[in-house]
Amino acid sequence: MYQGFYNLASGMLTQSRNLNVVSNNMVNIQTPGYKSDRMVGTTFQEEMLYRTGKYYKDNSQPIATTSKIRTADQTYVNYEQGGFEQTDGVLDFALADKGFFCVDTPSGVRYTRNGSFYVDDEGYLALNNQGRVQGTEGPILITSEDFIVDSRGTITIPATTIAGEDGEVEEIEEEVLGTLRIVDFEDYGQLHKEDYGMFSTNQEPQDQENPSIMWKSLEESNVDMIEEMTTMMSSQRALQSAAQVIKMYDQIMSKAASDVGRL
């Protein structure tokens, strides 16, 4: 009887945690570069069941293994690449291959696939609510938005000619504002996922020499809404069923203590 309480209560807690993971995925379905999570459950405190005779207990035979408690094992991140959305925004970037953008945050350097940048008050390229985006030679100062970006992430103001006040033609040379720093890691399993789709790790980042960057585009979240809805409904039903059965257990135990106890 008491084993049922362990099974049901631990199952309810596990399904509740799974629903938190699913809801977080659904909330971030519109977050550029977001990578979905998947929770995996496990059991512990396993016990071996044996079959013995009614009177003679010798030569018992193992018949099965049972576990009283189910719990969350680990939350895995799906690093599969999402689709691409063309935004035509000059401050939007997407990685068409492996790798991460580098961002200087108050907690140190963090890594992200979110390329929806903006220009901060001091004119530097930055990620909203996080910090300045790193270039290969430090933060990137945007002096003009009339720039172009190549597939390696080099931001350049092209050479132009303008007419001066005295009618003379003035040539403005090409200016390189900076190159986005793109890094990758050997073991994604050592990446720690933080809020806002940011990642941290103790691994040494490896600079990508030939990154593939799509300008004026964003990588979409890789969350599959149909899969998340299916998982959510399955977890909700399992949670509700466990709650109903544990209520029945409680009623049976109460009756055993009140009615049967008087006999």
Side-chain angles (χ1 to χ4, degrees):
M1 180 68 71
Y2 289 105
Q3 180 175 335
F5 279 108
Y6 284 110
N7 291 335
L8 295 168
S10 62
M12 291 175 62
L13 290 173
T14 302
Q15 295 301 334
S16 178
R17 293 169 182 170
N18 191 36
L19 286 172
N20 290 337
V21 173
V22 172
S23 62
N24 186 59
N25 287 337
M26 296 176 68
V27 166
N28 286 281
I29 194 169
Q30 297 296 331
T31 302
Y34 179 81
K35 302 304 176 187
S36 61
D37 295 321
R38 182 66 61 221
M39 194 200 78
V40 177
T42 186
T43 58
F44 66 94
Q45 197 176 341
E46 294 186 346
E47 298 176 353
M48 181 67 74
L49 298 181
Y50 291 88
R51 177 187 287 123
T52 64
K54 184 175 182 180
Y55 298 105
Y56 301 100
K57 307 301 182 181
D58 297 334
N59 301 321
S60 58
Q61 298 294 323
I63 58 175
T65 301
T66 184
S67 176
K68 293 184 177 181
I69 298 177
R70 179 174 177 81
T71 186
D73 180 21
Q74 188 173 350
T75 299
Y76 293 92
V77 181
N78 178 12
Y79 290 100
E80 289 185 3
Q81 186 170 278
F84 297 101
E85 176 187 3
Q86 184 174 352
T87 64
D88 294 328
V90 296
L91 299 176
D92 289 339
F93 304 86
L95 293 173
D97 203 349
K98 291 184 177 181
F100 298 85
F101 298 105
C102 302
V103 181
D104 281 320
T105 72
S107 301
V109 179
R110 295 294 184 266
Y111 309 96
T112 183
R113 297 278 297 187
N114 185 354
S116 180
F117 302 144
Y118 79 107
V119 177
D120 66 14
D121 296 337
E122 298 181 8
Y124 288 94
L125 193 66
L127 180 63
N128 191 29
N129 296 324
Q130 298 303 311
R132 291 176 178 173
V133 179
Q134 277 192 353
T136 55
E137 298 181 359
I140 300 174
L141 180 63
I142 304 297
T143 57
S144 171
E145 292 191 359
D146 295 326
F147 57 76
I148 58 175
V149 182
D150 63 18
S151 60
R152 295 188 176 184
T154 300
I155 305 174
T156 306
I157 297 177
T160 58
T161 57
I162 60 174
E165 295 180 356
D166 54 1
E168 294 183 0
V169 175
E170 180 182 357
E171 293 186 1
I172 300 178
E173 296 182 355
E174 178 182 271
E175 180 184 0
V176 177
L177 301 180
T179 301
L180 293 170
R181 185 189 178 198
I182 309 300
V183 301
D184 202 9
F185 303 94
E186 291 185 357
D187 185 8
Y188 282 12
Q190 296 185 36
L191 295 178
H192 174 66
K193 190 174 184 181
E194 300 183 358
D195 295 335
Y196 306 105
M198 307 294 287
F199 294 89
S200 62
T201 181
N202 292 326
Q203 298 179 84
E204 189 67 26
Q206 301 174 352
D207 289 294
Q208 298 290 88
E209 296 182 358
N210 296 305
S212 180
I213 297 178
M214 299 175 62
W215 184 37
K216 296 183 179 181
S217 298
L218 290 174
E219 180 185 1
E220 298 176 334
S221 165
N222 67 355
V223 175
D224 186 337
M225 179 56 79
I226 296 177
E227 181 180 354
E228 298 301 328
M229 289 290 293
T230 303
T231 304
M232 182 185 68
M233 289 188 291
S234 177
S235 292
Q236 284 181 333
R237 289 174 180 174
L239 179 61
Q240 292 171 355
S241 298
Q244 291 175 353
V245 176
I246 204 171
K247 184 177 180 180
M248 293 171 58
Y249 266 77
D250 183 60
Q251 292 174 347
I252 293 172
M253 295 298 294
S254 297
K255 198 169 188 63
S258 59
D259 297 347
V260 179
R262 289 198 296 268
L263 300 177

